[in-house]
Amino acid sequence: MSQQSSTLRSAARRTGGLIAASALAVSLAACSTPSAPASGGEGETAGDSTGVTDTTVTIGTHTPLTGPAAAGYSSISAATNAYFDYLNDQGGVNGRTIEYIVKDDGYNPANSQTVVRELVQQDEVFAILNGLGTATHQSVLDFLDQNSVPDLFVASGSTSWNQPETYPNTFGFNADYVVEGAALGQYAADEFPDAAVCMLGQDDDFGDEFLEGLEMALGADGLTEVQRYSVSNQDVTAQIGALQAAGCDIVTLATINGFTALAVGTAAQLGWFPQWFASSSGADYPTLVGYLGEDVAPKLLQGFTGTNYLPMADDEWVELFREINTEYNGDAPFDGNTIFGMSVGYVFAEALAAAGENPTREALIEAVQSGDLVGNGILPLAFGPDSHAAYLGVGITTVDQGVQDYVDATYEVRDGSVSSVDRQPVPLSGAAVPGA
């Protein structure tokens, strides 16, 4: 029996009285007036403690539970919530349980604005955690900034979240699209120096920044062909045909999982089988199998190359997350989204613990940009006063016989250049309970 399994079982045997007391505390908190800003007694710093009671910390998110992106991403918030349930059964953070309010925005910016206003003005959350999507979250950036709400670990690789002077309370989580494009471009140059490298990507910031990264590694003239598409059009036959006609050996993808599968499937129907290199946003093998089908996916995705910055395959973090998923998430399908969601929850708990026994919004922001957070990635977190990016590098992954894992290639982007570095995976400690 693993230590993690023992921890989970002991948590499950908590008395009904503790559960009832927690439920009562949540009920009372929902009916009470919001916490006033801390007065700053001896040894404490004055600040805004909205969303914090003696027993709970309430946070929220916007995410696509329905709509065009739901199939690829709706499981993330459920995984985060499962981690919080596990954490709460271990006593929470500094004696407080975390309440996570998840609101569906259908991947529509107008809806994002509505639900985020509800979270801030009606639910009075302490922070927004892991709002998902580039256009969706860009639509609420100014509102969150004007209300001084901590805006932590946005689920998008846009560089928009790394603007400390403009948005001092906003921090990203994904490695950004420039980093991913540069890493994949450099890996292509290092391992396939004679290959014709091309790109298929969204006709928005995702595609623009991914292309910027590719050109950083390959040069302005380093791509044989570039094709773009709109997510509103579920047909990429013309783009795939153009890439095939251009003689592309490697097609790099700035795509979400659904469009990765669409591109791979369309190419196969045309009898064309290039090497595929994809951003982490569209490179999760179990998700792609769900789109393509278990019969054909292993053949079409053999050798599929992607990027990642979080634990995967046979890893102690993954083992624990699997157990949490079974106990607290109804044994839902376990994939990269599960690991992503639980990793986000862990880093938030780490930040909350560092914010002190009486956390304020100001203390939470200070904790994140202190540079002391460790996280659970394969490279150190890059947060600091002048950097609101989580990861400045990624590892390269490939699929072999249905198993997706890292290869011996990791790249980091600093000061406009990409370089090879060694992976530095963070070991699991304290059963993923910060402060334990």
Side-chain angles (χ1 to χ4, degrees):
M1 180 186 299
S2 70
Q3 179 180 358
Q4 291 93 335
S5 295
S6 177
T7 301
L8 287 169
R9 286 177 173 80
S10 65
R13 290 194 294 268
R14 295 272 176 145
T15 65
L18 177 59
I19 296 172
S22 298
L24 177 59
V26 172
S27 175
L28 291 174
C31 296
S32 66
T33 56
S35 302
S39 59
E42 183 178 353
E44 296 184 358
T45 302
D48 184 351
S49 57
T50 297
V52 179
T53 72
D54 289 341
T55 57
T56 63
V57 175
T58 301
I59 59 177
T61 194
H62 67 89
T63 195
L65 301 179
T66 59
Y73 299 123
S74 62
S75 60
I76 292 175
S77 58
T80 305
N81 207 37
Y83 168 78
F84 286 149
D85 286 345
Y86 161 75
L87 179 68
N88 291 342
D89 273 354
Q90 316 311 309
V93 176
N94 290 325
R96 293 180 178 87
T97 57
I98 298 173
E99 304 296 331
Y100 194 36
I101 302 174
V102 178
K103 296 204 173 188
D104 180 20
D105 66 5
Y107 212 53
N108 182 314
N111 294 342
S112 303
Q113 293 176 41
T114 298
V115 300
V116 168
R117 285 183 180 277
E118 290 175 356
L119 288 166
V120 172
Q121 296 175 341
Q122 298 176 24
D123 300 308
E124 295 170 328
V125 296
F126 183 54
I128 295 295
L129 175 67
N130 205 223
L132 192 145
T134 299
T136 49
H137 201 73
Q138 283 174 338
S139 74
V140 299
L141 267 182
D142 289 331
F143 172 77
L144 293 174
D145 178 64
Q146 290 160 8
N147 286 272
S148 299
V149 178
D151 179 19
L152 303 186
F153 316 147
V154 183
S156 156
S158 171
T159 58
S160 301
W161 330 129
N162 187 17
Q163 301 184 71
E165 294 183 359
T166 305
Y167 298 109
N169 298 321
T170 295
F171 298 80
F173 187 76
N174 304 41
D176 70 49
Y177 302 133
V178 176
V179 168
E180 292 192 313
L184 288 171
Q186 192 61 53
Y187 183 67
D190 291 346
E191 300 297 324
F192 308 95
D194 298 323
V197 181
C198 302
M199 173 189 150
L200 173 68
Q202 291 183 189
D203 58 353
D204 56 15
D205 288 354
F206 182 3
D208 293 344
E209 294 184 353
F210 188 82
L211 178 59
E212 179 184 341
L214 285 170
E215 292 180 340
M216 180 189 301
L218 300 173
D221 299 324
L223 290 165
T224 300
E225 179 72 15
V226 174
Q227 287 289 316
R228 309 291 289 271
Y229 68 90
S230 170
V231 294
S232 62
N233 186 351
Q234 298 284 320
D235 185 354
V236 293
T237 304
Q239 291 89 338
I240 294 297
L243 293 167
Q244 181 181 15
C248 303
D249 299 309
I250 295 173
V251 178
T252 62
L253 298 169
T255 54
I256 61 175
N257 287 307
F259 275 88
T260 298
L262 183 63
V264 172
T266 300
Q269 290 177 343
L270 296 176
W272 185 48
F273 303 94
Q275 177 68 46
W276 301 101
F277 281 30
S279 155
S280 63
S281 297
D284 183 55
Y285 179 74
T287 303
L288 295 176
V289 171
Y291 278 108
L292 293 169
E294 295 182 359
D295 292 337
V296 300
K299 297 178 182 178
L300 295 181
L301 298 176
Q302 173 65 22
F304 184 88
T305 298
T307 62
N308 201 355
Y309 42 90
L310 296 173
M312 64 188 315
D314 295 327
D315 179 275
E316 56 189 350
W317 287 96
V318 175
E319 178 186 352
L320 174 62
F321 288 166
R322 283 186 184 277
E323 295 181 14
I324 294 173
N325 189 62
T326 297
E327 293 287 337
Y328 293 91
N329 200 24
D331 203 20
F334 188 91
D335 56 23
N337 287 337
T338 315
I339 296 169
F340 181 94
M342 293 191 185
S343 297
V344 166
Y346 174 76
V347 177
F348 175 77
E350 192 182 4
L352 184 61
E357 293 186 0
N358 295 295
T360 63
R361 285 172 165 175
E362 294 82 356
L364 184 65
I365 295 301
E366 183 177 348
V368 177
Q369 64 185 15
S370 68
D372 295 334
L373 300 187
V374 176
N376 68 335
I378 64 166
L379 290 171
L381 286 168
F383 294 133
D386 300 320
S387 173
H388 286 196
Y391 296 102
L392 297 180
V394 293
I396 302 298
T397 69
T398 61
V399 174
D400 184 25
Q401 302 301 315
V403 177
Q404 187 174 39
D405 203 357
Y406 288 107
V407 298
D408 188 19
T410 305
Y411 298 95
E412 188 176 67
V413 174
R414 290 184 183 272
D415 302 321
S417 63
V418 55
S419 59
S420 178
V421 296
D422 293 327
R423 277 194 292 145
Q424 303 173 48
V426 177
L428 176 67
S429 64
V433 179

